[in-house]
Amino acid sequence: MYNYKLIIEYDGKNFMGWQKQKYTDATIQEHIETSIRKLLNEDINIIGAGRTDSGVSAYNQVANFKFNKVIELDKFNYSLNSILPDKIAVKKILRISPDFHSRYSAVRREYLYKMTFRKKAIEEDSFYKIKFNIDFKKMDAFIKFILNTTFFRSFCKNKEDKNNYRCLVHEFKYKLIKSKDELIFTITANRFLHSMIRSILGCCLDIGREKLILNNIKEQLEKGEKIAVNYLPANALFLNKIYY
């Protein structure tokens, strides 16, 4: 049995997320599995490194599948891309060690969130537009707090979590590109909860514009209480890199 690793790019805005669902075919995983099945004439189950939510895109999603024959990689990659939807592209296919698991072998996931302070004529649907002033010092204090936090129940939509809502956030930073009026956030962690990134960033902006107070957020987070934050839209969120 051979193990194959896929590096995948997709625009997730018109899909219902990565993971297969019972009542819709509009998922990234479903489209890729269906296309592979057509080429190999065999049912294949692909495993993704990150279960991106509905509307979230990816520059470098990683997945793997096993097949009992040697695949001619370049030819297969070309054929697969020729039948996949336009908004899904397999950038590379590699034959990998049998014990590689795209999800469980991963140690970190890195996401980008793209914001803009002005109207854009190009790629506007990939940015969140900020329409208010920000106190960056208040935002920096929140970021520092998150980097020292491990319990994220307050930022999760799930009613239960097998790891007790624990995550290790390794990196949380932003880059202000004044020449483009852009604000790009990077957040990296060992795992993320459902809608966790969009709620954290919504909270970050609300603190920056003084709609929320950091000390109140700290108290709510420690107690695991729900926080009334603005969940930022998924269109500006990108899975950027998986670390192994």
Side-chain angles (χ1 to χ4, degrees), residues 17-224:
W18 165 268
Q19 191 173 15
K20 282 192 301 185
Q21 299 177 35
K22 189 174 182 180
Y23 300 107
T24 180
D25 293 333
T27 67
I28 308 297
Q29 184 182 13
E30 182 72 39
H31 279 289
I32 295 176
E33 284 187 354
T34 299
S35 298
I36 291 177
R37 190 180 304 122
K38 289 178 180 178
L39 295 175
L40 300 181
N41 197 29
E42 186 171 321
D43 284 341
I44 295 294
N45 178 50
I46 64 171
I47 302 164
R51 298 176 181 178
T52 53
D53 295 337
S54 177
V56 177
S57 299
Y59 290 118
N60 293 289
Q61 169 72 284
V62 177
N64 73 289
F65 70 91
K66 294 189 176 181
F67 187 55
N68 59 6
K69 296 179 182 178
V70 174
I71 294 174
E72 189 176 338
L73 299 180
D74 289 343
K75 181 179 179 180
F76 183 78
N77 199 167
Y78 178 85
S79 299
L80 182 57
N81 279 324
S82 69
I83 59 176
L84 280 170
D86 291 340
K87 297 299 182 179
I88 303 174
V90 175
K91 298 167 70 174
K92 187 179 292 186
I93 300 178
L94 304 166
R95 202 161 75 207
I96 200 78
S97 63
D99 60 345
F100 175 82
H101 190 287
S102 60
R103 182 181 177 191
Y104 296 130
S105 299
V107 293
R108 297 184 185 186
R109 283 99 173 150
E110 178 182 287
Y111 282 82
L112 304 179
Y113 198 93
K114 299 158 73 170
M115 304 184 189
T116 179
F117 291 97
R118 63 170 172 81
K119 179 181 177 180
K120 283 185 170 292
I122 299 174
E123 295 185 334
E124 183 181 16
D125 62 348
S126 294
F127 284 81
Y128 173 72
K129 187 176 181 181
I130 300 174
K131 302 177 182 178
F132 42 80
N133 294 323
I134 294 176
D135 185 329
F136 284 94
K137 288 184 178 179
K138 285 185 169 60
M139 204 163 67
D140 291 341
F142 173 75
I143 290 173
K144 184 178 179 180
F145 166 67
I146 289 296
L147 286 169
N148 290 285
T149 299
T150 58
F151 183 54
F152 290 96
R153 183 177 182 179
S154 299
F155 291 114
C156 176
K157 288 185 176 181
N158 287 351
K159 294 181 179 179
E160 58 183 33
D161 179 66
K162 65 179 182 179
N163 292 302
N164 195 30
Y165 304 97
R166 299 285 174 181
C167 304
L168 296 176
V169 178
H170 301 285
E171 184 180 48
F172 185 15
K173 63 182 182 180
Y174 62 85
K175 182 178 182 181
L176 179 60
I177 309 172
K178 292 184 178 180
S179 62
K180 297 181 178 181
D181 289 322
E182 293 178 2
L183 184 63
I184 311 298
F185 281 85
T186 301
I187 184 165
T188 308
N190 66 324
R191 62 191 295 264
F192 289 100
L193 307 173
H194 180 48
S195 300
M196 173 180 162
I197 298 174
R198 294 188 293 121
S199 61
I200 285 178
L201 289 173
C203 187
C204 187
L205 290 185
D206 282 346
I207 287 174
R209 61 171 169 164
E210 301 182 338
K211 186 177 179 180
L212 295 175
I213 299 172
L214 179 56
N215 286 338
N216 294 342
I217 297 300
K218 289 179 179 179
E219 292 177 4
Q220 290 176 286
L221 192 59
E222 288 170 0
K223 295 176 182 178

